[in-house]
């Protein structure tokens, strides 16, 4: 399928900083994504995960899980990449996962939404406002089997989700574009 002029590939992406500890990996729910993917691999073998971000101690924790589930050939660590490469990966991927335990705002999830990803998210913190109903809200981030079943269903019926993708992009444009933010700042300055 082509979306935003890019051919969508069978990727799930997530963005996380893994350099110093596994805390960010756990907070962002990347370990939960691996558990979900383990369940998904029992249903289908057609997706690959790309984990974008600087590697380190948190990477070792994830690699241990990946090895335990025998998913080494289905999970790619990109390491630190350029902003352009990150955006390209997001444009190519179908899905983005951010099953955060807590989240300040969720800028990476917003970038994924703007790049035409179906965003699976926990709705924690800023994710509920940033993504809202324009993604797949996962109310029980520990029910890996059900999340995997939902992912499989959506992947099989991907073409039926074009309206969700369009609405997500429109949501980002209407609420978080440079022009909207600049207008907001100008209004604040006028009031001062």
């Amino acid at each position: 399928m082509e979306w935003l002029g890019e051919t969508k590939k069978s990727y799930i992406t997530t963005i996380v900083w893994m350099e110093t500890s596994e805390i960010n990996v756990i907070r962002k729910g990347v370990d939960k994504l691996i558990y979900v993917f383990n369940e998904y691999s029992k249903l289908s073998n057609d997706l690959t995960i790309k984990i974008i971000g600087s590697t380190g101690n948190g990477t070792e924790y994830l690699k241990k899980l990946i090895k335990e589930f025998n998913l080494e050939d289905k999970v790619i660590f990109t390491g630190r990449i350029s902003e352009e490469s990150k955006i390209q990966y997001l444009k190519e991927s179908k899905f983005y996962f951010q099953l955060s335990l807590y989240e300040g705002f969720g800028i990476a999830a917003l970038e994924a939404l703007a790049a035409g990803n179906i965003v699976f998210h926990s709705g924690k913190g800023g994710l509920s406002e940033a993504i809202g109903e324009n993604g797949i809200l996962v109310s029980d981030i520990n029910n890996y089997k059900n999340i995997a079943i939902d992912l499989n269903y959506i992947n099989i019926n991907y073409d039926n989700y074009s309206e969700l993708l369009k609405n997500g992009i429109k949501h980002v444009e209407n609420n978080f574009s440079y022009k909207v933010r600049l207008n907001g700042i100008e209004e604040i300055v006028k009031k001062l």
Side-chain angles (χ1 to χ4, degrees), residues 24-187:
N24 236 8
V25 168
I26 293 168
R27 180 181 69 81
K28 294 272 190 189
V30 181
D31 56 341
K32 295 185 181 311
L33 170 56
I34 301 302
Y35 284 108
V36 168
F37 199 69
N38 178 53
E39 293 297 326
Y40 180 81
S41 68
K42 298 171 187 173
L43 303 170
S44 184
N45 193 27
D46 60 347
L47 291 173
T48 300
I49 297 174
K50 284 196 175 187
I51 301 174
I52 301 169
S54 298
T55 58
N57 293 338
T59 313
E60 297 311 311
Y61 167 64
L62 290 173
K63 284 184 176 180
K64 189 174 163 185
L65 282 177
I66 291 163
K67 185 174 184 172
E68 179 182 328
F69 296 134
N70 196 27
L71 298 171
E72 294 100 323
D73 62 332
K74 299 300 283 180
V75 180
I76 299 164
F77 291 89
T78 68
R80 178 178 286 172
I81 58 175
S82 70
E83 188 70 15
E84 294 79 19
S85 294
K86 177 185 78 172
I87 298 302
Q88 187 61 38
Y89 282 140
L90 290 174
K91 284 181 178 178
E92 291 173 349
S93 85
K94 287 180 161 183
F95 304 102
Y96 184 85
F97 268 71
Q98 193 157 335
L99 302 177
S100 299
L101 298 174
Y102 58 92
E103 193 63 50
F105 183 67
I107 191 73
L110 247 173
E111 289 175 323
L113 191 65
N117 282 244
I118 294 176
V119 177
F120 283 74
H121 68 98
S122 64
K124 303 290 184 185
L127 289 170
S128 62
E129 183 182 321
I131 304 301
E133 60 190 36
N134 300 295
I136 307 298
L137 177 61
V138 178
S139 56
D140 184 357
I141 60 175
N142 295 309
N143 194 333
Y144 311 127
K145 187 174 184 177
N146 281 353
I147 300 168
I149 290 168
D150 290 346
L151 174 60
N152 188 51
Y153 176 83
I154 293 169
N155 193 34
I156 290 168
N157 297 290
Y158 186 79
D159 290 338
N160 296 334
Y161 285 82
S162 63
E163 204 59 38
L164 179 68
L165 293 168
K166 288 177 190 172
N167 289 340
I169 292 168
K170 190 173 185 176
H171 172 74
V172 174
E173 288 173 354
N174 291 343
N175 295 288
F176 303 104
S177 70
Y178 175 77
K179 185 177 181 179
V180 169
R181 304 317 298 164
L182 181 61
N183 288 343
I185 292 169
E186 287 173 348
E187 288 300 314

